[in-house]
């Protein structure tokens, strides 16, 4: 492991995170880290730093032998991957905040780290100020990590809080999230759940050794949530949150998804408001632990980059212990989930796909039901995200096995009332 005595940094990007780091480093001289050069895309834009710091030439950073650390905080995932690959290949350490790039290129990045032995750290890429990656990597033994449940996107949590507590409408809440520097430059990435599932992809690697592409995970954002859903949540004393969850089932496989979920008032995640993120970990012996902190914004994100830089001083690398040192876990779709669905018309809802439906409200213009679906249905089909249908998981939604005898009786009982109920 190469420890760096002096960190000479070449930084790519000077947006919300880059500028935040620049300011933070000016106040942390004990770190002995200096930004030598910053590569930007748009030289016309006014920057709050001396002009001689900036260049538009990648090679000025990547070919500079004195620069031993590349900090990559740009928006373009493909360009970020090229920069990070070149930096690692030339033996430089890399600190990145590009969650999309990491999620989409994880297998290649794992290989590059193994081939080059260079360190790639990205604590800021998930949950910003919360040190979740290093904790998962170092603290929790593979067999003892029962579940992890988290709010990993600050913007959607901010929007949900502003809409349902401060009564702003969706466009106002989103605009505020953009003005405060929480949202992605393409905010659809936040709103439709892409940012959350990207972060979840590599959190699953550090938690369970699972390496998969984000598009293979079941996910959605908050785009379909309606005022009526919030009213039902209030009636039932729930909050609505965008929750990423992984649960180790009795067969040792992992159930995982990123979906809106009803959260009980006494759940730790109900406490997480605005741009804050939260992570609840359940593990053997330790029981429940709750991590809480700002999940977006300039300084909270820069603080995690700073912590990675400081870890490079003693030669820290991710060992991907759950992947390389233990037997990695497998994802499974072989379980059931209890869901709430609100919709405009029964014709959009394939009722035959449900194991059972335990509550339905068919009279109102906006109808809703609560029922149990095989998770495979969410994985293979997309009707539950279309035609204005809103799916929200219920609290503790995972059902591992269904007693089919009881189920048959139940569906017979329900069949009659259900037919007359709509
Ligand atoms: N858009 C991201 C969020 C920024 O809102 O969480 C932090 O990754």
């Amino acid at each position: 492991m190469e420890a760096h005595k002096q960190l000479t940094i070449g930084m790519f990007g000077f947006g919300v995170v880059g500028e935040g780091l620049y300011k933070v480093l000016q106040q942390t001289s004990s770190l002995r880290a200096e930004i030598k050069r910053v590569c930007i895309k748009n030289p016309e834009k006014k920057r709050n730093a001396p002009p001689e710091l900036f260049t538009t030439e990648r090679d000025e950073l990547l070919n500079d032998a004195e620069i031993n650390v590349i900090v990559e905080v740009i928006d373009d995932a493909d360009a970020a991957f090229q920069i990070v690959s070149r930096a690692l290949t030339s033996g430089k350490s890399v600190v990145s905040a590009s969650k999309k790039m990491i999620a989409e290129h994880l297998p290649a990045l794992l290989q590059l780290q193994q081939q080059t032995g260079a360190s790639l750290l990205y604590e800021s890429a998930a949950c910003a100020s919360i040190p979740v990656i290093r904790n998962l990597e170092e603290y929790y033994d593979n067999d003892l990590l029962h579940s992890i449940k988290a709010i990993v996107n600050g913007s959607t949590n901010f929007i949900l809080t502003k809409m349902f507590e401060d009564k702003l409408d969706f466009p106002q809440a989103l605009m505020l999230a953009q003005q405060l520097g929480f949202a992605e430059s393409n905010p659809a990435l936040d709103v439709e759940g892409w940012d959350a599932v990207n972060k979840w992809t590599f959190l699953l690697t550090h938690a369970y050794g699972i390496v998969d592409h984000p598009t293979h995970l079941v996910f959605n954002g908050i785009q379909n949530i309606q005022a009526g859903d919030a009213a039902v949540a209030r009636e039932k004393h729930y909050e609505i949150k965008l929750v990423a969850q992984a649960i180790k089932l009795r067969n040792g496989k992992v159930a995982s998804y990123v979906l809106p979920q009803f959260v009980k008032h006494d759940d730790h995640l109900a406490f997480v408001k605005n741009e804050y993120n939260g992570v609840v970990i359940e593990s053997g012996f330790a029981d429940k632990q709750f991590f809480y902190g700002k999940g977006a914004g300039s300084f909270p994100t820069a603080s995690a980059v700073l912590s990675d830089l400081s870890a490079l001083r003693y030669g820290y690398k991710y060992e991907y212990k759950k992947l390389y040192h233990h037997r990695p876990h497998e994802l499974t779709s072989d379980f059931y989930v209890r869901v709430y669905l609100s919709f405009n018309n029964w014709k959009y809802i394939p009722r035959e796909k449900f194991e059972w439906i335990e509550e339905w409200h068919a009279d109102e213009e906006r109808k809703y039901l609560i029922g149990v679906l095989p998770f495979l249905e969410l994985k293979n089909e997309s009707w539950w995200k279309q035609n204005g249908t809103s799916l929200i998981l219920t609290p503790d939604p995972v059902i591992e096995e269904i007693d089919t005898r009881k189920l048959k009786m139940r569906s017979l009982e329900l069949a009659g009332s259900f037919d007359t109920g709509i």
Side-chain angles (χ1 to χ4, degrees):
M1 261 194 232
E2 198 207 338
H4 298 293
K5 283 202 183 67
Q6 169 74 36
L7 304 173
T8 305
I9 299 167
M11 182 157 81
F12 285 84
F14 202 75
V16 173
V17 183
E19 190 176 342
L21 182 70
Y22 175 74
K23 288 186 187 152
V24 162
L25 279 177
Q26 287 177 323
Q27 295 169 42
T28 49
S29 52
S30 62
L31 193 65
R32 276 187 286 147
E34 182 218 358
I35 299 182
K36 185 175 178 192
R37 214 89 169 99
V38 179
C39 182
I40 45 164
K41 205 163 62 178
N42 179 0
E44 309 304 328
K45 207 161 148 187
K46 191 168 162 5
R47 316 272 176 178
N48 295 318
E52 58 278 13
L53 200 60
F54 296 98
T55 172
T56 52
E57 293 300 322
R58 277 183 197 187
D59 287 351
E60 284 189 29
L61 280 62
L62 292 168
N63 295 342
D64 184 335
E66 206 189 29
I67 289 178
N68 51 8
V69 180
I70 293 293
V71 171
E72 177 281 302
V73 286
I74 64 173
D75 219 14
D76 174 339
D78 294 329
F81 179 62
Q82 288 169 12
I83 291 162
V84 169
S85 310
R86 270 192 61 194
L88 290 172
T89 310
S90 56
K92 298 187 195 301
S93 302
V94 176
V95 177
S96 168
S98 296
K99 44 271 161 106
K100 186 168 185 285
M101 180 277 289
I102 298 163
E104 287 177 356
H105 296 280
L106 196 54
L109 291 171
L110 288 168
Q111 208 180 6
L112 269 167
Q113 288 170 84
Q114 290 221 302
Q115 273 166 7
T116 61
S119 180
L120 166 65
L121 303 181
Y122 42 82
E123 188 62 71
S124 62
C127 300
S129 71
I130 309 176
V132 61
I133 296 178
R134 245 181 287 164
N135 259 302
L136 288 171
E137 187 63 28
E138 302 301 332
Y139 198 85
Y140 298 97
D141 188 86
N142 210 27
D143 295 332
L144 296 179
L145 188 64
H146 296 328
S147 72
I148 159 167
K149 176 164 93 162
I151 292 171
V152 296
N153 180 270
S155 299
T156 44
N157 203 53
F158 181 88
I159 293 169
L160 290 172
T161 310
K162 293 294 170 217
M163 281 172 70
F164 299 139
E165 293 187 16
D166 302 348
K167 309 286 175 234
L168 294 191
D169 61 22
F170 187 94
Q172 279 176 312
L174 172 60
M175 207 199 312
L176 206 51
Q178 287 176 298
Q179 282 165 356
L180 292 167
F182 305 149
E184 299 301 299
S185 22
N186 171 7
L189 290 175
D190 295 300
V191 172
E192 293 171 15
W194 291 99
D195 182 73
V197 76
N198 284 338
K199 291 165 176 168
W200 200 238
T201 303
F202 51 89
L203 287 178
L204 279 176
T205 312
H206 291 282
Y208 289 110
I210 292 165
V211 182
D212 212 337
H213 196 270
T215 50
H216 293 164
L217 297 178
V218 171
F219 76 97
N220 202 5
I222 61 166
Q223 71 275 22
N224 296 338
I225 295 177
Q226 311 236 343
D229 302 335
V232 175
R234 260 194 303 277
E235 230 170 72
K236 294 183 182 291
H237 307 289
Y238 296 150
E239 307 259 336
I240 302 174
K241 298 286 184 190
L242 182 59
V243 176
Q245 192 160 20
I247 302 175
K248 200 153 75 177
L249 303 182
R250 282 194 292 273
N251 62 13
K253 295 187 179 170
V254 173
S256 188
Y257 42 78
V258 180
L259 291 169
Q261 188 168 343
F262 286 138
V263 168
K264 291 184 189 155
H265 277 322
D266 61 357
D267 189 307
H268 290 89
L269 294 187
F271 174 76
V272 179
K273 308 276 184 193
N274 292 314
E275 79 274 26
Y276 279 82
N277 284 182
V279 184
V280 180
I281 289 177
E282 280 194 67
S283 68
F285 310 120
D287 205 350
K288 251 184 210 178
Q289 288 160 300
F290 177 45
F291 300 81
Y292 170 75
K294 285 196 171 164
S298 179
F299 287 153
T301 313
S303 82
V305 175
L306 191 71
S307 148
D308 280 347
L309 288 172
S310 145
L312 289 176
R313 293 283 308 283
Y314 57 86
Y316 181 75
K317 285 178 197 178
Y318 299 138
E319 286 179 61
Y320 298 93
K321 292 195 177 78
K322 318 292 168 64
L323 178 63
Y324 299 133
H325 302 183
H326 297 255
R327 198 158 60 88
H329 282 91
E330 248 180 76
L331 278 180
T332 179
S333 298
D334 192 11
F335 61 99
Y336 302 85
V337 276
R338 182 180 274 108
V339 304
Y340 156 99
L341 276 171
S342 73
F343 46 95
N344 297 325
N345 196 313
W346 282 101
K347 72 177 180 204
Y348 300 131
I349 307 299
R351 276 181 279 158
E352 69 287 357
K353 300 285 177 69
F354 283 81
E355 297 301 320
W356 70 81
I357 291 176
E358 46 196 46
E359 206 181 299
W360 63 92
H361 300 259
D363 300 334
E364 293 89 55
E365 200 174 320
R366 183 78 183 168
K367 304 164 201 329
Y368 77 85
L369 63 79
I370 293 175
V372 172
L373 276 172
F375 184 74
L376 210 52
E377 184 63 23
L378 303 190
K379 187 156 170 67
N380 292 344
E381 305 296 335
S382 56
W383 57 263
W384 55 275
K385 315 190 184 188
Q386 290 165 355
N387 299 306
T389 299
S390 160
L391 178 140
I392 302 176
L393 294 178
T394 59
D396 304 317
V398 170
I399 299 171
E400 293 196 36
E401 274 165 39
I402 284 175
D403 181 336
T404 40
R405 279 168 313 153
K406 274 198 197 148
L407 176 63
K408 269 213 177 103
M409 279 168 55
R410 197 160 184 174
S411 24
L412 284 174
E413 271 166 33
L414 279 173
S417 46
F418 191 68
D419 282 343
T420 51
I422 57 170

